[in-house]
Amino acid sequence: PRRQGSKPLTKRAVELYLKKFFKEFPGLEGTYVNIAASPVDTLGEAQVKRIGAMYSRGSYNPVFRRLSLYHSNIHSIGELRRVLLHELHVHQGLGLYPMDTQKAILESINRTRNTKNPTLQKIWKQVNALYGHENELVQAEEVLAKLAETEPRQRTGLMGALQKVLKVLNDFWRTMNPNAAPTKIELEDMLMGIAKGLRDGKMPGPRPRRDDKRNYVFEDLMDMGDAEQ
C-alpha cells in the first residue's frame, strides 16, 4: 500500500544511489536500468491494473538483463537498497550458478513450504498471497528474494560467536538429515555467497527463460561462473 506522509525518492536520488550500489557490487555492472515515476509509465495503465502492480517498487527482466525502478513508490534509501537486493542479488545473482544448480536450489527451497521457522513461514505467506498464481519454482525464487531483503551478513563480536555456534549446530543437523529442506541458516549462507561473488566482480550468467505457460525452462547454457560459498 501507498505510504501516508512520506515523500518518495526523486529520480536523481535513485540514480546517485545506484552508482554507489554498482560500485559496491561490480559484478552487476552492465545491468540496464530504467527509472520511471510509476509502473504505469513503463507498462501502461491497463497492464498495471491487470497484474495489480500499481504500488510495485521495481522488477527485473533476466532475458534483457533489465532492471526497472519506480521511484514514486520508493520512500527511503533503505527501501531502495532492499529492492536492489531483491531484484539483483537473487533474480540476477542466481546466474552465478550453473543452470542445473539454479534448478536444484529452487527445488530445495520449494521443500521449505512447511517449515517451522517463523521467518520463512512469514515469507511464504507473503509469497503465496502475491505470487500464488505462479509456478512453484517461481514462488521459491521469490522466497529467496524476500529473504535477501534482510541482507544477511557475517557478524562480529558476541553475535558473530553465536552465529558460528548456530552454524556448527546446523552443519551437524545436516549430516543427520541430508535430504531435508534447507534451513534459514543455509539459505542465508547462500545469499552471503552470492553477495561475495558480486562484490568480487563475478558477473552472473544466464537465468532460465519462461515458456508460454510462464514456467521456467532451464536450458543447458554455458556457465559464467560459480558463487563462492
Side-chain angles (χ1 to χ4, degrees):
R2 187 188 302 275
R3 292 188 181 184
Q4 298 295 325
S6 58
K7 287 186 176 182
L9 295 182
T10 63
K11 182 178 181 180
R12 180 59 175 163
V14 172
E15 290 172 338
L16 289 173
Y17 186 74
L18 278 171
K19 289 182 180 180
K20 294 181 180 179
F21 193 84
F22 286 135
K23 185 176 181 180
E24 181 181 357
F25 300 103
L28 297 171
E29 288 285 355
T31 303
Y32 174 74
V33 182
N34 173 55
I35 305 173
S38 77
V40 172
D41 297 327
T42 300
L43 303 174
E45 188 172 356
Q47 173 74 351
V48 167
K49 287 183 177 179
R50 187 181 70 82
I51 63 177
M54 183 62 69
Y55 301 119
S56 172
R57 300 173 302 175
S59 62
Y60 179 72
N61 186 318
V63 175
F64 299 105
R65 198 177 164 91
R66 181 177 66 218
L67 172 70
S68 295
L69 295 171
Y70 310 117
H71 65 87
S72 66
N73 291 337
I74 303 173
H75 294 77
S76 70
I77 293 299
E79 188 175 3
L80 173 58
R81 185 175 180 86
R82 289 191 292 275
V83 173
L84 296 174
L85 292 170
H86 179 119
E87 302 295 346
L88 298 182
H89 277 212
V90 174
H91 296 321
Q92 183 175 345
L94 277 173
L96 288 170
Y97 295 96
M99 195 69 77
D100 58 346
T101 303
Q102 294 180 43
K103 182 180 180 182
I105 287 171
L106 298 182
E107 288 174 340
S108 71
I109 296 172
N110 190 51
R111 298 201 303 272
T112 68
R113 286 177 182 271
N114 297 318
T115 178
K116 296 192 181 337
N117 179 274
T119 299
L120 294 181
Q121 283 181 338
K122 181 179 179 180
I123 291 176
W124 267 113
K125 185 176 181 179
Q126 294 172 338
V127 168
N128 286 331
L130 294 171
Y131 304 98
H133 59 289
E134 294 280 13
N135 172 272
E136 61 183 16
L137 295 190
V138 174
Q139 293 177 26
E141 184 168 325
E142 290 299 335
V143 167
L144 189 63
K146 288 280 187 184
L147 186 61
E149 293 179 23
T150 67
E151 195 168 5
R153 58 182 69 196
Q154 296 291 346
R155 305 295 182 182
T156 57
L158 182 60
M159 291 303 296
L162 178 60
Q163 188 180 47
K164 290 178 181 178
V165 169
L166 291 174
K167 189 173 188 316
V168 168
L169 293 174
N170 184 87
D171 291 346
F172 176 75
W173 177 88
R174 174 56 64 190
T175 62
M176 299 294 103
N177 301 272
N179 298 317
T183 64
K184 176 173 172 282
I185 289 175
E186 289 169 326
L187 295 179
E188 288 176 335
D189 280 348
M190 183 191 309
L191 289 168
M192 287 188 283
I194 290 173
K196 184 179 187 306
L198 297 174
R199 193 174 278 115
D200 290 346
K202 294 186 177 181
M203 299 188 68
R207 297 298 327 285
R209 63 179 178 83
R210 301 278 198 104
D211 63 16
D212 56 2
K213 295 182 179 179
R214 293 186 56 77
N215 295 324
Y216 277 151
V217 177
F218 294 89
E219 296 171 313
D220 187 18
L221 299 175
M222 184 179 295
D223 170 38
M224 299 293 288
D226 299 340
E228 291 191 22
Q229 297 296 314

